[in-house]
Amino acid sequence: MNQAIGVIDSGVGGLTVASELMRQLPKEQLIYLGDTLRCPYGPRSEMEIRKFTWEMVNFLLEKQIKILVVACNTATAYTLSELHEELDIPVIGVIQPGARAAINVTENNQVGIIGTEATIKSEAYSRALNTIKEDIKSISHACPSLVPLVEKGILKGDVAYNVVGKSLESINDKKLGLDTLILGCTHYPLLKQVIQDVLGHDIKIISSSEETARETSTVLEMNDLLNKEEGIPTHLIYTTGELDNFKHLMNDVFKHHLGDIKNIKIEKAVL
Ligand code: DGL
């Protein structure tokens, strides 16, 4: 089956999931769409998040994707169940895999979650955690300043440390007893080093990308959708925003954080 895996996010954050998909599934072609023009989704209303997500999904459905990966926690929180109901291709979100990954590593069942305002408001993570394991205690905190930082390409240095430090103030407290922190936004893994330095190295930091890629691989296999043709695929990356900015940021992100990935074509999308 040589159709592509479709991946959506509000901007560059979903590339953290895309790169893991490329690593775990090297024979699969990816078509990625980042809605940079309307990023961030985090402060938006549920209605807007659902409308924008459906516009992204419809763009990718026209490209005949065989599976959809919603590489955005905010979109996952508000649209995953309706996407499951209405699409006739498999749909993978990032929240369930993130919750599973955290449950795997926590030793004291005290888990922190950081995400966008909309994701935290939805309580999707605490529900997912407690559905899997009832005795998990979670504390959630919205960090609205982090996505704009990442979209500007500020991933290290004084400004990054200041903004992350302020954003994490309320959960950076040993008295809370957290041993694990879920990065509940796909942009945040690009700030992982800064977050780890700010919180100290005792806390385990979880991003959902590896577990999401594993789930995608399992679902493709179970549905007999894995690509059996030979050759290295060329991935297509679309942005609704300014092309040069996105290219610049993407190169930076791939080079410094995600490894050197070749065979990528970037184009502008109009939704
Ligand atoms: N990367 C996104 C997420 O995982 C969305 C960030 C945003 O647009 O606010 O939630």
Side-chain angles (χ1 to χ4, degrees):
M1 175 66 75
N2 59 357
Q3 287 164 271
I5 299 176
V7 184
I8 53 171
D9 181 45
S10 61
V12 291
L15 292 173
T16 56
V17 178
S19 73
E20 191 53 32
L21 286 164
M22 291 172 191
R23 197 180 71 78
Q24 290 189 31
L25 293 162
K27 285 170 76 177
E28 300 296 332
Q29 185 200 17
L30 259 61
I31 305 182
Y32 181 94
L33 172 60
D35 191 8
T36 321
L37 187 67
R38 300 186 292 195
C39 189
Y41 280 14
R44 295 182 184 276
S45 68
E46 174 173 351
M47 223 170 73
E48 268 182 319
I49 294 166
R50 289 177 51 220
K51 179 175 179 286
F52 294 175
T53 304
W54 271 106
E55 285 170 5
M56 287 199 284
V57 171
N58 287 330
F59 179 88
L60 289 188
L61 287 178
E62 280 182 18
K63 316 252 172 251
Q64 315 293 335
I65 53 168
K66 60 183 173 185
I67 187 168
L68 173 69
V69 179
V70 184
C72 173
N73 292 265
T74 312
T76 298
Y78 289 93
T79 64
L80 190 69
S81 47
E82 65 190 74
L83 291 171
H84 270 308
E85 269 166 39
E86 293 187 35
L87 299 188
D88 49 18
I89 54 170
V91 184
I92 311 282
V94 279
I95 292 181
Q96 198 73 20
R100 268 203 311 270
I103 288 172
N104 264 335
V105 303
T106 179
E107 286 166 23
N108 69 0
N109 291 339
Q110 311 268 21
V111 176
I113 303 146
I114 53 172
T116 68
E117 299 102 302
T119 300
I120 298 305
K121 197 169 133 218
S122 76
E123 296 181 356
Y125 264 104
S126 45
R127 265 201 313 278
L129 286 165
N130 291 124
T131 306
I132 304 172
K133 198 168 182 208
E134 265 167 35
D135 55 352
I136 295 280
K137 299 254 178 323
S138 60
I139 293 171
S140 305
H141 181 64
C143 300
S145 312
L146 301 191
V147 169
L149 199 67
V150 171
E151 289 286 331
K152 278 189 215 127
I154 304 171
L155 309 176
K156 54 186 181 188
D158 289 351
V159 176
Y161 276 90
N162 281 339
V163 176
V164 170
K166 282 207 185 76
S167 298
L168 298 183
E169 229 157 47
S170 75
I171 59 153
N172 193 7
D173 180 349
K174 294 262 180 294
K175 284 196 283 278
L176 296 174
L178 303 175
D179 78 340
T180 303
L181 179 77
I182 299 177
L183 303 182
C185 170
T186 53
H187 281 71
Y188 299 174
L190 298 169
L191 289 165
K192 184 174 176 193
Q193 191 57 53
V194 181
I195 295 171
Q196 187 86 68
D197 289 344
V198 166
L199 293 179
H201 290 253
D202 295 339
I203 193 153
K204 295 180 255 306
I205 295 187
I206 300 296
S207 89
S208 50
S209 48
E210 284 175 25
E211 191 69 24
T212 303
R214 249 193 302 280
E215 185 174 327
T216 307
S217 166
T218 308
V219 171
L220 285 176
E221 192 181 349
M222 275 173 13
N223 289 280
D224 197 22
L225 289 171
L226 284 168
N227 178 24
K228 297 182 184 87
E229 289 175 16
E230 294 301 319
I232 300 163
T234 295
H235 306 292
L236 303 178
I237 312 264
Y238 290 93
T239 173
T240 56
E242 221 263 294
L243 207 53
D244 283 342
N245 266 353
F246 194 85
K247 271 188 194 159
H248 194 71
L249 188 50
M250 207 186 96
N251 283 338
D252 208 37
V253 163
F254 273 105
K255 201 159 71 226
H256 295 295
H257 295 268
L258 311 173
D260 191 17
I261 291 177
K262 299 184 183 77
N263 301 317
I264 288 182
K265 256 173 53 189
I266 309 181
E267 278 169 31
K268 186 152 170 117
V270 180
L271 297 184

